Amino acid sequence: MKSREISKVWTVMPQQESAIHKVGMVLEPGNFQEYDPFLFMAEDWFQRGVFDFHPHRGMETVTYIIEGILEHTDNKGGAGKLNAGDTQWMTAGRGIIHKEDPAEGVTVHSLQLWVNLPASHKMTDTRYQDLQSEKMPLRQEEGAQIRVFSGSSGGVTAPTRNHVPVTMVEITLEPGATVTQDLPGSYNGFIYVLEGSGTFGAKQVEGKKTQVLWMSPTGEGEESEISITAREKLKLVLFAGQPIKENVVAYGPFVMNTEQEIREAYADFRSGKFN
Ligand code: FE
């Protein structure tokens, strides 16, 4: 088992976009090779109307609710409600038009990660997985609770279906407690600290609330693990996934492999083929 190291640390700086929307970039868009299979991640604070009906194609959105209640509706009759601690795993695939709206009078604080789809799956059927926190498997260790939303942790495996293998866990650690998360050595991954502070990886790099800790792969075909120790009570989310290693052309809400496919996405959207 190879011990992972933290290769990079940065701090998320939220900016006020409008009176009802504040956003921080956890993963800046454009670094598609480095973050593969992840495209970007935003931390949002928003009210009703910010994410009104809009399309997606060629990717998945993974939305984790930190605070508030989020309602979602789509053009195919899908609808649902997410509470704090819940995650929605939406596969846009060939195309979806949806809106993501906080409950009336509520400000939602959330993370949204975009996961790429490989060329062979970009036009797959749209699929929702509403992953309610209390229904997801929980790994318990001394001073540690690991909620498994996708992939596995210490032999505890989530039933979540993946097109691209992704591990997503939410970890809560008591001060002084240590936990290790196992990951295939080929995965790119990162930790985003939601509360508290701690040390991370083989070299015990310091990290605290609002910081992102990047974990580079250790190597194809080997197992790895990242160790995490809480200084103050620590809460974080960890995402890691298998790189796709394909060309990425992203334009607005569409993520394809070529410019031609982006043009087709716009043409299909305009001619009602997303309905
Ligand atoms: Fe969306």
Side-chain angles (χ1 to χ4, degrees):
M1 193 76 89
K2 267 261 183 64
S3 280
R4 287 217 181 206
E5 290 177 12
I6 300 300
S7 53
K8 222 175 186 181
V9 180
W10 63 93
T11 303
V12 176
M13 309 279 220
Q15 309 244 334
Q16 202 73 41
E17 282 281 300
S18 74
I20 56 170
H21 187 204
K22 186 169 79 171
V23 59
M25 282 300 156
V26 180
L27 302 183
E28 287 277 357
N31 303 300
F32 302 131
Q33 306 305 322
E34 187 184 357
Y35 297 160
D36 190 9
F38 305 121
L39 298 160
F40 92 108
M41 185 159 97
E43 179 174 16
D44 294 287
W45 293 258
F46 62 107
Q47 294 173 28
R48 269 180 113 81
V50 172
F51 297 110
D52 209 342
F53 281 107
H54 60 277
H56 291 287
R57 174 181 277 183
M59 36 68 90
E60 299 183 288
T61 59
V62 179
T63 309
Y64 170 81
I65 310 299
I66 297 170
E67 240 183 313
I69 301 167
L70 186 68
E71 299 167 355
H72 65 92
T73 315
D74 69 46
N75 61 324
K76 288 172 182 156
K81 200 182 256 193
L82 298 157
N83 293 298
D86 295 346
T87 295
Q88 181 195 74
W89 206 289
M90 185 191 83
T91 305
R94 75 177 77 237
I96 184 77
I97 302 169
H98 74 157
K99 79 171 168 181
E100 300 151 287
D101 250 349
E104 196 68 56
V106 166
T107 296
V108 164
H109 178 194
S110 63
L111 299 174
Q112 188 171 85
L113 176 69
W114 288 21
V115 180
N116 200 9
L117 286 169
S120 56
H121 290 68
K122 283 198 179 290
M123 298 297 276
T124 191
D125 289 339
T126 299
R127 170 170 89 192
Y128 287 99
Q129 297 174 85
D130 276 345
L131 310 175
Q132 288 171 281
S133 180
E134 69 266 23
K135 291 191 181 153
M136 301 314 292
L138 184 67
R139 173 185 163 206
Q140 288 187 286
E141 305 285 346
E142 200 175 336
Q145 292 211 319
I146 303 107
R147 187 70 70 179
V148 187
F149 284 98
S150 182
S152 67
S153 183
V156 176
T157 303
T160 309
R161 289 179 293 164
N162 286 165
H163 288 286
V164 179
V166 171
T167 297
M168 174 188 175
V169 293
E170 172 206 71
I171 298 177
T172 310
L173 278 181
E174 296 305 321
T178 295
V179 74
T180 59
Q181 170 63 43
D182 47 298
L183 296 168
S186 57
Y187 281 19
N188 272 317
F190 63 99
I191 287 164
Y192 186 45
V193 182
L194 300 175
E195 284 170 33
S197 63
T199 56
F200 301 82
K203 292 188 175 158
Q204 298 184 308
V205 169
E206 304 267 346
K208 62 179 191 207
K209 182 176 176 169
T210 74
Q211 287 187 319
V212 187
L213 298 106
W214 187 261
M215 306 178 278
S216 298
T218 61
E220 199 74 41
E222 63 183 24
E223 282 302 307
S224 73
E225 62 181 24
I226 180 86
S227 68
I228 302 169
T229 301
R231 196 178 294 284
E232 303 164 90
K233 187 175 166 110
L234 184 65
K235 187 175 181 187
L236 59 86
V237 284
L238 179 154
F239 292 91
Q242 178 66 36
I244 295 170
K245 297 180 179 160
E246 289 178 3
N247 193 48
V248 175
V249 182
Y251 215 92
F254 306 133
V255 184
M256 304 302 289
N257 296 102
T258 66
E259 304 276 353
Q260 176 58 26
E261 289 167 342
I262 293 290
R263 283 192 289 274
E264 284 164 12
Y266 275 98
D268 286 354
F269 174 54
R270 279 193 225 105
S271 63
K273 287 194 182 142
F274 279 33
N275 290 312

